């Protein structure tokens, strides 16, 4: 059974319980260079105020990517990319960092980590991974996973993922996450040993709950709608952006042809020759400038993509709530019907259909002793049921409270990040315009000298 | 529809004073209103120029400077025509002003066609009046061109716009097509007017001034169809023989023409392609902006930022549209005209070669003593004169053409660069103001939080 609150076993405990090589176990991460979004300087909840933690700051970076070949589960050769994760601890006093851990992980291991977190922290909006395959690609970019530009962008995306985890007040303290960063061998086995796959809700069950739940919290319904809208609008935006990029590429590149023709033409001209030649050079510069411009824009697209994938994480939390609520409703219903049965047996009136009632009619009445036994059983079941209902209610409320706290945290993060992304988009446009002005001013000068 | 306008004294066309002081050409006859209006024109010309650079242009040697501010293709006011003058020749010598406008559709039982109104204003003595208005159709322009080519086979006659668009629509009555053609026809007539020799051609004068019936009867005169056919058959036969020896300078000229033709065709294609890519870019951008508005509907904190981004994108769309229209005004027609010019030049070279071949074949006949020597010698004498005339005419015209080409190309590309600069400047201003507004808001919010 999943728990609404973070499972204490999953959280890092003070040193005595964990055979770790480091004197302290608290994780508070500091944003490494080039990382975005990790602003929370550590958890604000009660668990971290325990003073037996001496907090050291650590930096996480995914610094390299390497192509590897190996054998997969079916003993067939495959090529994959491995990423180097380096963890550095920063000394308070002098600010210098020391490399404490470094290991290689591949994308599937990141996926495993995330799936585990989804199961154990269903009330948390778990940060998404960068895309598995390149999507929203415009024609020049390849959709090949081995393409170096794609690998580079994915490296940045994975680093961002880890930084988001490290800056999350609750997730940063997860043991499996810690081991992901520090224990190279055997980590997969460790994760699987938690048996988290068994604890995962079946998709079918969740779907069923979504349709049948009668009284979910309104805020979650709204959140679901919001996440649907967010996903739809960002997908649309990314699609059109890719098309715009394509067209812009065309405009710039065709100008490059001027360069060649001007150069050839200048050969037959006496007075115009120099002007033509040098103008042609500027046309070449103009045409080649688009490559960097669009490369930068890909990073902007990646920032949007992260929130596109976050929409799914939001929906996961909503689904969990619906599941719990449905479970609760079913338990309440079951309890009510048992009470009903009990009452009927006790008073001898049969108001509702029951199988027992029917078999009694068919095969004869039961003896008073049998009836007493049944009433007793039911009464016990009712007692149990009431207990369960109470704890389910409690769990449900806890879940809603904790989930909503994280959702508020998420909302603020989202607003901040997306605003920054839009501003960075404007900055990119400004840079592109400035480059354009410079090139065309140079070209104009050459033309006017012809 | 056609009619000859007698200019009223109030509207008489004085000399363009321009910036170069106003000497009256053909100075004997004081032109009505010229003295009083020249001063007026001078000030008005300067007033039109708000751009400092163009003022400087007027005060320098105005004859061959590039003219950016007024497109030569906009035949709006007489004053804008003054600026067109500097396009080719000394302002003092311009005394013939032509506009082509008001395309009109005519439907008869046999066909539908378009006529264009042609207004001519002149101070020349040989014209009966100082203002004329006629209507002509494309066929008439073709006739004029052929007559000019006949009369001056080795002069570089300005090109006519094509009969049909080769690719794309073949529909003759599409609005864009008609407008493009009208502008090209306007250019055509003005180039003839500016040409030192062609401007005095009799057929040209009749084209500009004759009433409909007068014009059609004039067209019917001249060498009959058969004789024209006969000439062209001979021409083909001669050209089959090939030119024995082309003088050095004409070899160079031919070489230039070949390469120029190839390059200008490429540039034409490249320019058209850029226009097309920009159009498609604009179409996508138009869809891009509104998505941000759609998004803002589901957001609270982000709504304003998203709406601002959407409006920036819209501004950039407008700037793109402006850039595109600038391109289609200033660059595309000029480049295309020179594509047609290059074809014209090759025809001129051929005609020159033919004339020389005629001479060469007669000389050959003389040396082989096949026919009557006396007759031949006489013929050869005439042909030698003809060849010399033709060569000189071409040489002079060639230099003039080269100079004009240089100015036109320089002007067109400078305009293109200017359009691009303006475009980027506009977009830059839009995004910079967005950025300022966002950082201002940020500071505002930060200070609010502190309170």
């Amino acid at each position: 059974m999943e728990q609404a609150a973070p499972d204490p076993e999953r959280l890092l405990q003070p040193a005595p319980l964990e055979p770790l090589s480091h004197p302290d176990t608290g994780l508070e991460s500091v944003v490494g260079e080039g990382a975005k979004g990790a602003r929370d300087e550590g958890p604000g909840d009660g668990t971290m105020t325990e003073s037996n933690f001496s907090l050291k700051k650590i930096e996480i970076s995914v610094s390299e990517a390497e192509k590897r070949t190996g054998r997969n589960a079916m003993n067939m050769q495959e090529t994959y990319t491995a990423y180097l994760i380096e963890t550095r601890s920063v000394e308070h006093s002098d600010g210098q960092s020391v490399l404490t851990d470094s290991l290689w992980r591949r994308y599937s291991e990141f996926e495993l980590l995330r799936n585990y977190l989804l199961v154990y922290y269903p009330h948390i909006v778990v940060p998404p991974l960068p895309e598995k395959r390149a999507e929203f690609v415009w024609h020049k970019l390849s959709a090949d996973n081995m393409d170096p530009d794609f690998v580079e962008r994915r490296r940045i995306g994975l680093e961002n993922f880890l930084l988001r985890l490290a800056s999350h007040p609750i997730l940063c303290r997860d043991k499996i996450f810690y081991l992901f960063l520090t224990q190279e061998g055997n980590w997969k086995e460790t994760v699987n040993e938690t048996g988290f796959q068994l604890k995962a809700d079946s998709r079918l069950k969740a779907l069923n709950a979504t349709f049948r739940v009668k009284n979910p919290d309104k805020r979650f319904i709204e959140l679901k709608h919001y996440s649907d809208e967010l996903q739809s609008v960002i997908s649309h935006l990314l699609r059109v952006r890719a098309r715009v990029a394509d067209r812009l590429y065309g405009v710039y590149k065709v100008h490059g042809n001027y360069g060649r023709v001007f150069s050839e033409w200048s050969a037959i001209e006496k007075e115009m020759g120099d002007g033509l030649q040098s103008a042609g050079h500027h046309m070449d510069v103009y045409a080649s400038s688009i490559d960097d411009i669009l490369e930068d824009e890909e990073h902007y697209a990646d920032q949007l993509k992260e929130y596109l994938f976050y929409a799914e994480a939001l929906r996961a939390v909503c689904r969990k709530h619906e599941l719990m609520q449905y479970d609760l409703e079913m338990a309440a219903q079951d309890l009510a019907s048992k009470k009903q049965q009990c009452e009927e047996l006790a008073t001898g009136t049969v108001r509702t259909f029951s199988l027992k009632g029917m078999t009694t009619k068919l095969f004869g009445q039961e003896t008073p002793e049998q009836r007493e036994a049944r009433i007793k059983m039911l009464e016990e079941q009712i007692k149990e049921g009431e207990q369960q209902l109470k704890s389910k209610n409690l769990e449900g409320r806890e879940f809603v409270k904790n989930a909503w706290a994280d959702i508020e945290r998420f909302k603020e993060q989202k607003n901040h990040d997306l605003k920054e992304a839009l501003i960075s988009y404007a900055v990119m446009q400004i840079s592109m315009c400035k480059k354009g002005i410079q090139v065309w001013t140079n070209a104009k000068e050459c033309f006017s000298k012809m | 529809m056609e009619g000859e306008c007698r200019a009223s004294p109030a509207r008489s066309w004085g000399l363009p004073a321009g910036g170069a002081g106003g000497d009256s050409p053909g100075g004997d006859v004081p032109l009505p209103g010229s003295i009083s209006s020249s001063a007026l024109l001078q000030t008005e010309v300067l007033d039109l120029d708000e751009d400092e650079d163009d003022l400087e242009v007027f005060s320098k040697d105005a004859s061959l400077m590039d003219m950016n501010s007024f497109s030569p293709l906009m035949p709006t006011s007489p004053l804008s025509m003054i600026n067109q003058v500097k396009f080719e020749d000394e302002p003092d010598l311009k005394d013939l002003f032509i506009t082509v406008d008001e395309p009109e559709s005519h439907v008869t039982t046999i066909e539908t066609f378009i006529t264009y109104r042609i207004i001519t204003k002149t101070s020349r003595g040989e014209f009966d009046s100082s203002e004329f208005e006629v209507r002509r159709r494309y066929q008439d322009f073709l006739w004029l061109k052929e007559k000019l080519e006949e009369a001056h086979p080795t002069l570089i006659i300005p090109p006519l716009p094509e009969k049909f668009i080769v690719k794309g629509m073949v529909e003759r009555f599409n609005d864009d097509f008609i407008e493009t053609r009208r502008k090209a026809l306007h250019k055509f007539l003005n180039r003839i007017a500016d040409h030192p020799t062609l401007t005095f051609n009799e057929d040209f004068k009749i084209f500009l001034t004759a009433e409909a019936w007068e014009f059609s009867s004039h067209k019917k005169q001249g060498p009959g169809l058969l004789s024209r056919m006969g000439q062209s058959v001979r021409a083909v036969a001669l050209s089959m023989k090939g030119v024995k020896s082309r003088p050095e300078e004409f070899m160079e000229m031919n070489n230039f023409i070949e390469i120029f033709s190839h390059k200008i065709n490429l540039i034409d294609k490249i320019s058209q392609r850029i226009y097309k890519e920009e159009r498609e870019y604009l179409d996508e951008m138009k869809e891009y902006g509104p998505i941000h508005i759609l998004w803002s509907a589901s957001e609270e904190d982000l709504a304003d930022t998203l709406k601002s981004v959407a409006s920036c994108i819209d501004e950039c769309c407008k700037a793109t549209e402006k850039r595109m229209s600038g391109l289609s005004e200033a660059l595309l027609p000029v480049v295309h005209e020179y594509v047609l010019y290059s074809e014209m030049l090759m025809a001129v070279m051929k005609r020159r070669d033919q004339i020389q071949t005629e001479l060469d074949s007669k000389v050959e006949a003389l040396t082989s003593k096949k026919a009557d020597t006396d007759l031949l010698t006489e013929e050869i004498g005439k042909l030698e004169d003809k060849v010399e005339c033709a060569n000189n005419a071409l040489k002079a015209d060639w230099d003039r053409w080269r100079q004009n080409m240089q100015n036109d190309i320089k002007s067109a590309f400078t305009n293109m660069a200017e359009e691009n600069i303006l475009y980027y400047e506009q977009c830059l201003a839009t995004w910079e103001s967005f950025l300022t507004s966002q950082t201002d808001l940020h500071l505002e919010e930060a200070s609010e939080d502190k309170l």
Side-chain angles (χ1 to χ4, degrees):
Chain A
M1 260 235 319
E2 322 71 31
Q3 312 203 330
D7 181 354
E9 270 173 43
R10 300 296 138 206
L11 292 180
L12 291 169
Q13 299 299 323
L17 291 176
E18 296 294 329
L20 300 169
S21 50
H22 307 290
D24 58 76
T25 56
L27 284 179
E28 182 188 359
S29 72
V30 155
V31 172
E33 325 154 285
K36 24 185 211 298
R39 288 169 305 114
D40 292 334
E41 292 287 20
D45 62 2
T47 42
M48 284 303 275
T49 58
E50 290 161 48
S51 48
N52 35 16
F53 287 123
S54 70
L55 301 168
K56 239 194 201 174
K57 290 197 173 151
I58 76 165
E59 284 174 12
I60 307 175
S61 65
V62 177
S63 48
E64 276 173 49
E66 210 178 73
K67 221 192 231 181
R68 296 220 181 137
T69 47
R71 296 216 166 256
N72 67 6
M74 289 171 283
N75 209 31
M76 293 199 302
Q77 199 168 48
E78 57 167 1
T79 318
Y80 63 90
T81 311
Y83 299 88
L84 180 64
I85 304 175
E86 291 179 322
T87 318
R88 291 181 156 73
S89 67
V90 185
E91 302 291 328
H92 273 294
S93 40
D94 51 17
Q96 282 189 345
S97 69
V98 175
L99 185 66
T100 48
D101 282 288
S102 118
L103 40 67
W104 293 86
R105 295 267 183 230
R106 53 184 295 192
Y107 189 85
S108 56
E109 291 175 277
F110 282 85
E111 278 183 314
L112 190 61
L113 173 65
R114 184 165 192 271
N115 288 337
Y116 159 84
L117 292 172
L118 281 172
V119 170
Y120 275 98
Y121 301 89
H123 61 294
I124 303 282
V125 184
V126 178
L129 285 170
E131 54 191 357
K132 195 161 192 168
R133 266 162 276 280
E135 277 172 49
F136 304 110
V137 170
W138 57 280
H139 94 277
K140 189 222 163 198
L141 289 190
S142 73
D144 173 22
N145 282 4
M146 289 294 152
D147 176 66
D149 284 334
F150 177 74
V151 168
E152 171 61 15
R153 292 203 340 270
R154 189 193 256 190
R155 181 193 68 73
I156 295 171
L158 290 172
E159 183 176 280
N160 186 51
F161 169 72
L162 292 177
L163 289 166
R164 288 235 191 254
L165 290 182
S167 67
H168 191 284
I170 295 167
L171 296 177
C172 71
R173 305 187 60 230
D174 184 273
K175 180 175 107 186
I176 296 288
F177 172 51
Y178 184 81
L179 293 175
F180 180 87
L181 296 174
T182 56
Q183 182 191 70
E184 185 151 24
N186 236 23
W187 177 80
K188 273 212 272 206
E189 286 72 16
T190 312
V191 184
N192 288 327
E193 271 165 24
T194 64
F196 78 94
Q197 281 108 336
L198 298 170
K199 297 193 175 156
D201 295 317
S202 92
R203 205 58 179 187
L204 202 58
K205 208 168 132 196
L207 201 62
N208 185 48
T210 303
F211 282 124
R212 296 198 179 182
V213 68
K214 296 204 182 91
N215 230 8
D217 186 309
K218 278 200 171 40
R219 292 178 295 174
F220 284 94
I221 299 180
E222 278 168 25
L223 186 67
K224 224 174 32 160
H225 284 153
Y226 171 75
S227 67
D228 286 340
E229 281 169 11
L230 188 71
Q231 180 168 336
S232 149
V233 85
I234 294 185
S235 314
H236 192 194
L237 193 78
L238 287 170
R239 258 198 310 276
V240 178
R241 189 213 71 91
R243 293 207 299 258
V244 169
D246 220 0
R247 291 293 160 217
L248 195 64
Y249 185 78
V251 172
Y252 273 75
K253 286 297 177 189
V254 179
H255 278 87
N257 289 310
Y258 275 143
R260 185 177 52 91
V261 179
F262 282 176
S263 175
E264 291 165 7
W265 183 1
S266 68
I268 52 171
E269 293 287 348
K270 290 183 200 106
E271 289 165 46
M272 286 214 293
D274 288 337
L276 270 177
Q277 179 90 317
S278 46
H281 161 73
H282 292 298
M283 291 296 99
D284 286 334
V285 169
Y286 182 69
S288 62
S289 68
I290 191 67
D291 294 312
D292 284 343
I293 290 167
L294 288 177
E295 182 60 40
D296 284 345
E297 249 191 50
E298 277 312 307
H299 292 295
Y300 168 71
D302 284 341
Q303 287 173 279
L304 293 183
K305 272 185 211 171
E306 192 192 14
Y307 279 92
L308 176 67
F309 302 143
Y310 255 123
E312 178 53 38
L314 282 174
R315 273 203 295 274
V317 176
C318 296
R319 273 199 300 271
K320 183 65 186 179
H321 165 75
E322 282 166 350
L323 200 64
M324 291 179 75
Q325 180 67 13
Y326 178 69
D327 208 30
L328 183 71
E329 285 170 6
M330 287 291 102
Q333 204 176 68
D334 190 51
L335 185 68
S337 104
K338 285 204 163 77
K339 281 184 175 166
Q340 182 93 316
Q341 271 181 46
C342 202
E343 196 200 310
E344 282 168 11
L345 278 176
T347 60
T349 51
V350 181
R351 254 174 297 159
T352 56
F353 173 80
S354 75
L355 195 58
K356 198 73 183 157
M358 206 179 86
T359 54
T360 307
K361 284 209 167 120
L362 291 171
F363 298 111
Q365 277 256 348
E366 56 184 356
T367 63
E369 290 85 15
Q370 283 174 324
R371 197 153 60 104
E372 274 306 314
R374 274 217 298 138
I375 290 175
K376 209 161 196 147
M377 191 177 73
L378 274 173
E379 277 176 350
E380 272 192 43
Q381 283 179 353
I382 286 168
K383 214 185 209 157
E384 230 180 270
E386 274 172 348
Q387 286 280 40
Q388 272 187 19
L389 194 64
K390 208 170 175 186
S391 68
K392 274 195 212 260
N393 242 316
L394 202 68
E395 269 173 35
R397 278 203 294 272
E398 271 297 297
F399 177 88
V400 169
K401 186 181 95 187
N402 292 326
W404 211 256
D406 199 53
I407 286 164
E408 290 297 334
R409 184 205 59 85
F410 167 78
K411 275 188 189 164
E412 270 200 50
Q413 173 197 298
K414 169 206 74 158
N415 287 336
H416 175 272
D417 289 350
L418 287 176
K419 195 165 194 178
E420 269 191 15
L422 290 167
I423 288 175
S424 80
Y425 182 74
V427 170
M428 277 185 258
Q429 299 305 304
I430 287 171
S431 155
M432 176 172 93
C433 290
K434 284 188 175 159
K435 280 189 208 165
I437 290 172
Q438 186 175 61
V439 163
W440 283 105
T441 307
N442 291 340
K444 182 179 171 188
E445 216 185 289
C446 296
F447 287 133
S448 60
K449 288 201 186 115
M450 291 197 323
Chain B
M1 225 170 307
E2 286 183 15
E4 219 171 277
C5 303
R6 298 246 167 238
S8 58
R11 285 190 69 204
S12 63
W13 200 240
L15 284 173
D23 289 327
S24 38
D28 303 312
V29 181
L31 298 151
S34 64
I35 292 142
S36 53
S37 57
S38 64
L40 185 66
L41 286 169
Q42 174 119 26
T43 20
E44 281 183 41
V45 162
L46 292 177
D47 281 345
L48 281 169
D49 287 318
E50 282 157 36
D51 190 6
E52 286 283 295
D53 289 333
D54 286 310
L55 278 176
E56 273 181 67
V57 169
F58 287 137
S59 58
K60 283 188 208 156
D61 172 18
S63 53
L64 299 169
M65 282 287 126
D66 61 332
M67 278 301 308
N68 297 349
S69 52
F70 301 98
S71 160
L73 303 175
M74 298 289 270
T76 43
S77 69
L79 291 167
S80 70
M81 309 247 326
I82 292 171
N83 299 317
Q84 284 179 67
V85 170
K86 291 170 174 47
F87 196 76
E88 291 199 12
D89 288 318
E90 311 291 328
D92 298 349
L93 304 176
K94 179 101 174 179
D95 55 2
L96 188 64
F97 297 88
I98 307 171
T99 53
V100 177
D101 59 10
E102 280 193 18
E104 257 178 38
S105 188
H106 300 255
V107 186
T108 69
T109 43
I110 316 167
E111 55 177 349
T112 315
F113 59 90
I114 307 244
T115 61
Y116 302 84
R117 179 176 76 160
I118 302 172
I119 296 184
T120 309
K121 294 186 164 98
T122 178
S123 56
R124 286 190 199 161
E126 58 267 33
F127 284 76
D128 293 337
S129 159
S130 56
E131 214 172 300
F132 299 88
E133 184 179 315
V134 299
R135 284 213 154 258
R136 300 282 183 248
R137 56 185 287 193
Y138 183 80
Q139 262 182 27
D140 301 332
F141 284 84
L142 262 178
W143 169 87
L144 175 62
K145 176 161 167 275
E146 280 165 14
K147 296 298 285 180
L148 291 174
E149 281 174 342
E150 245 181 76
H152 310 278
T154 58
L155 284 188
I156 302 171
I157 314 292
L160 267 180
E162 293 111 323
K163 261 205 165 108
F164 304 113
I165 305 173
V166 179
K167 54 182 184 246
M169 287 177 284
V170 191
E171 206 205 298
R172 281 148 60 221
F173 305 112
N174 164 267
D175 280 345
D176 281 340
F177 174 73
I178 291 172
E179 178 59 13
T180 310
R181 181 180 264 196
R182 182 196 66 73
K183 285 183 184 158
L185 292 174
H186 173 95
K187 200 99 198 279
F188 171 73
L189 291 179
N190 275 284
R191 284 214 191 266
I192 297 173
D194 290 334
H195 192 288
T197 311
L198 297 176
T199 191
F200 297 110
N201 179 283
E202 190 59 31
D203 290 312
F204 180 49
K205 174 157 166 277
I206 292 177
F207 178 90
L208 292 175
T209 60
E211 301 246 27
W213 56 269
E214 205 187 313
F215 184 64
S216 36
S217 78
H218 176 84
K219 277 205 290 183
K220 290 188 183 122
Q221 297 167 15
L225 186 66
L226 282 176
S227 77
R228 279 212 295 276
M229 273 178 64
Q231 270 179 14
S232 57
V233 166
R234 240 181 70 221
V236 169
L238 283 172
S239 69
M240 296 292 259
K241 276 180 144 191
V243 179
K244 274 209 188 134
S245 63
R246 213 187 256 144
E248 179 63 35
E249 56 201 327
F250 294 111
M251 288 301 287
E252 264 179 49
M253 202 185 283
N254 194 59
N255 183 49
F256 180 94
I257 291 168
E258 272 177 18
I259 297 178
F260 174 81
S261 169
H262 184 243
K263 301 311 162 200
I264 199 71
N265 268 287
L266 284 174
I267 290 178
D268 185 53
K269 285 204 184 76
I270 294 169
S271 309
Q272 301 279 358
R273 179 65 191 276
I274 288 176
Y275 186 83
K276 176 171 165 279
E277 292 286 339
E278 279 190 20
R279 153 115 306 182
E280 290 178 346
Y281 169 72
L282 179 68
D283 289 341
E284 297 296 351
M285 281 292 269
K286 280 191 168 152
E287 211 191 307
Y288 191 44
I291 300 177
H292 294 78
I293 304 265
L294 190 67
W295 188 358
S296 71
S298 353
E299 298 286 343
E300 286 162 22
D301 280 9
L302 282 176
D304 285 335
T305 310
L306 285 167
K307 284 183 193 156
S308 297
V309 169
S311 94
C312 283
I313 294 175
D314 278 343
E315 288 296 309
C316 290
C317 282
K318 290 194 190 114
T320 305
E321 274 171 332
K322 191 164 168 296
R323 172 166 76 164
M324 279 171 64
S325 95
L327 216 69
S328 79
E329 294 267 319
L331 181 72
L332 299 180
V334 173
V335 170
H336 197 69
E337 194 195 12
Y338 277 94
V339 166
L340 298 171
Y341 251 130
S342 69
E343 284 165 24
M344 174 67 61
L345 287 169
M346 295 204 261
V348 169
M349 281 305 287
K350 259 214 181 92
R351 289 199 286 266
R352 190 217 72 86
D353 287 346
Q354 276 164 19
I355 294 173
Q356 185 176 316
T357 309
E358 251 188 274
L359 172 66
D360 291 345
S361 63
K362 292 276 192 245
V363 169
E364 205 191 301
L366 186 68
T367 48
S368 56
K369 292 194 165 73
K370 278 190 182 157
D372 176 8
T373 8
D374 286 336
L375 190 61
L376 268 179
T377 320
E378 198 189 321
E379 280 185 3
I380 286 173
K382 282 202 197 123
L383 283 174
E384 275 175 348
D385 282 340
K386 192 175 174 192
V387 166
E388 197 181 318
C389 260
N391 285 350
N392 289 340
L394 178 54
K395 256 191 285 186
D397 219 20
W398 174 251
D399 289 335
R400 190 177 162 273
W401 181 87
R402 279 291 288 270
Q403 192 58 58
N404 282 336
M405 186 270 281
Q406 195 169 314
N407 291 341
D408 291 348
I409 296 289
K410 172 172 157 176
S411 174
F413 279 109
T414 310
N415 282 341
M416 172 177 87
E418 184 60 42
E419 286 293 337
N420 277 292
I421 293 171
L422 280 169
Y423 164 75
Y424 282 113
E425 280 175 348
Q426 247 174 306
C427 293
L428 180 68
T430 306
W431 288 109
E432 275 183 337
S433 87
F434 166 80
L435 205 64
T436 347
S437 75
Q438 291 302 308
T439 44
D440 282 348
L441 273 170
H442 183 72
L443 290 170
E444 247 178 64
E445 284 168 6
S447 64
E448 272 174 26
D449 290 339
K450 284 185 189 145
L451 289 172

